[in-house]
Amino acid sequence: MAGSTRYMRYIVVAFVFIVVLVFLSSSSGGPSKHLESAQAIMRGENTRWWGSQVGGPSNKEEMASGQNPAHGNSNLGSQGDRTSGDSTSGKTPLEIGKEAASAPTTKWNPNKSPNKGSSGSSDTSSYSQTPALAETAPGERMNATFVTLARNSDVWEISRSIRQVEDRFNRKYNYDWVFLNDADFDEQFIKVTTALVSGKTRYGKIPVDHWSYPSFIDQQKAKEAREDYGRRKIIYGDSVSYRHMCRYESGFFFRHPLMLEYEWYWRVEPSIELFCDINYDTFKFMADHGKKYSFVLSLYEYVETIPTLWDSVKKFMKQYPQHISDDNSMSFLSDDGGITYNHCHFWSNFEIGNLDWLRSSAYVDFFELLDRDGGFFYERWGDAPVHSIGAGLTLNKSEIHFFNDIAYYHVPFTHCPVSEQERIDLKCHCNPKENFDWNGYSCTARFFEVNGIEKPAEAKQSD
């Protein structure tokens, strides 16, 4: 009896085994099909993963020459600037954009954003929206570029910034990126940044006379000033290179031969973060709404760094009354009609602006008067108050824009939209509790008041 039971078990096991074999045989097309799809992606049949070319760089020589398949070939420009090609089969972003009709425009409501997320709650009447995974957005491209002042040692910090900007914005618009340095860029910097940028990358060397002491500066006096600032532990107070950087950003970056080819710029610095999707063309927005300068963070300047800056500003206002806009932002800059400076400024490590304005006689005269007074070297004038005062005096209030929907971080401050729905719509990952806008040391509330913009309801609740 025990033997019969054992034989029956063998028969049942064998039967089950046969059934399993039959089942696997009949369904063998499924796994094969999925494997085929994965292989197709790797071969490049689904080009979304690689851009316009199949696969990554094919060999070391190709990378060494700057010939990334995603960007085209590199060459040396007349200024000795390294230039990489476009990622769209030889067409420039401007040419691609012109193939599509430009979007209609409407009057801008400062309380509404053209940015639109999945729920569609934002005001988007002016702009066509881009699907979340679209490679290239429709519409005309502006004559615009990103611009970064960096050194070779900044390569990994700026790589992080580029990745942020590309993921949140530029992968859909493919704008150029200009890198400027007071020395030659090395091969590593060029290869890494070219691989990350979806548009054309360009590399420029700063002219020596733009990054050195002008003839009218007393270098001994400048040295003594640095030593004094160092003893007082003022940030960057004893730094020579920081002063050259501030002077260059204040009055020269827009005159570089590479930058002369563009009308609009977006400044990007190393180690910044963008927290939200940007689903519209910020450059086109600026042009369509008559904006010439923009910001996301504002604050009070460190008083010890600019003790005589406002004296030079008042000298400018007296010598060049024709450059002062009738509808200026003096009430943002001063609490007493211009007698003194309240130290409010827009934080210039983020700014989107119009290069024609910076190259205008109004701004150039402003910068050159300040430059002759020597405060970039005898004190520690920063480019942020210089840009802010220049914009505040020579532009109309309506030409300066606050990008509430561009959530941004630069150590140590964060701008994060206070509206929960907006953060959800734009796939933001910032913590609204870290938003600096309505902090007592921020000047954004003043900007809203001066321009008659109503504060967000969430900001009012925190007052």
Side-chain angles (χ1 to χ4, degrees), residues 6 11 18 24 56 58 66 120 126 144 154 172 239 284 320 393 407:
R6 186 166 58 252
I11 292 170
I18 292 169
L24 289 174
S58 60
S126 299
D154 296 323
K172 293 168 283 194
S239 172
K284 189 173 189 303
Y320 297 97
L393 296 180

Side-chain angles (χ1 to χ4, degrees), residues 323-360:
H323 291 332
I324 309 303
S325 171
D326 292 335
D327 188 27
N328 61 61
S329 298
M330 179 60 80
S331 52
F332 175 77
L333 302 169
S334 174
D335 299 333
D336 51 21
I339 298 173
T340 60
Y341 179 35
N342 62 22
H343 306 113
C344 274
H345 70 280
F346 309 121
W347 218 20
S348 60
N349 48 68
F350 169 97
E351 54 187 14
I352 300 175
N354 182 268
L355 290 162
D356 289 338
W357 162 62
L358 287 173
R359 292 189 285 255
S360 69

Side-chain angles (χ1 to χ4, degrees), residues 25-237:
S25 175
S26 65
S27 61
S28 62
S32 173
K33 182 178 179 181
H34 291 303
L35 180 60
E36 224 172 86
S37 298
Q39 290 172 337
I41 290 172
M42 295 305 292
R43 283 198 307 268
E45 292 175 15
N46 183 343
T47 58
R48 190 183 77 184
W49 302 101
W50 296 106
S52 61
Q53 302 288 336
V54 178
S58 60
N59 55 52
K60 293 181 180 178
E61 290 76 15
E62 195 170 61
M63 283 300 295
S65 65
Q67 296 175 12
N68 186 329
H71 300 276
N73 297 331
S74 294
N75 55 71
L76 288 176
S78 59
Q79 300 294 323
D81 304 314
R82 195 68 170 270
T83 310
S84 71
D86 272 325
S87 59
T88 50
S89 303
K91 295 181 180 180
T92 66
L94 185 58
E95 290 169 337
I96 294 168
K98 287 184 177 178
E99 294 175 359
S102 59
T105 63
T106 62
K107 185 176 179 181
W108 170 240
N109 182 336
N111 288 314
K112 294 184 179 180
S113 166
N115 223 350
K116 180 180 179 181
S118 56
S119 73
S121 63
S122 298
D123 175 20
T124 59
S125 58
S126 299
Y127 294 85
S128 59
Q129 298 302 317
T130 308
L133 293 178
E135 285 190 4
T136 303
E140 181 182 0
R141 294 296 185 270
M142 304 302 294
N143 182 18
T145 185
F146 293 95
V147 61
T148 293
L149 184 63
R151 288 179 167 162
N152 292 313
S153 58
D154 296 323
V155 62
W156 304 119
E157 288 76 16
I158 195 57
S159 294
R160 173 184 172 184
S161 300
I162 295 170
R163 188 73 262 176
Q164 295 278 327
V165 173
E166 289 290 331
D167 288 350
R168 289 298 194 174
F169 173 78
N170 202 44
R171 64 185 171 83
K172 293 168 283 194
Y173 295 96
N174 313 134
Y175 278 109
D176 293 357
W177 205 305
V178 173
F179 297 93
L180 301 175
N181 189 351
D182 64 318
D184 292 320
F185 282 107
D186 62 27
E187 285 300 311
Q188 181 185 52
F189 189 99
I190 292 171
K191 286 190 291 186
V192 170
T193 52
T194 298
L196 291 171
V197 176
S198 61
K200 181 166 62 176
T201 54
R202 312 183 72 186
Y203 302 89
K205 187 173 181 180
I206 297 170
V208 173
D209 59 341
H210 290 176
W211 196 277
S212 58
Y213 290 104
S215 60
F216 52 81
I217 291 296
D218 180 340
Q219 293 191 37
Q220 180 60 35
K221 179 180 177 180
K223 179 184 177 183
E224 292 171 359
R226 292 195 306 274
E227 292 172 348
D228 175 58
Y229 273 69
R231 285 191 294 269
R232 290 190 282 153
K233 308 296 184 185
I234 294 173
I235 187 169
Y236 304 122

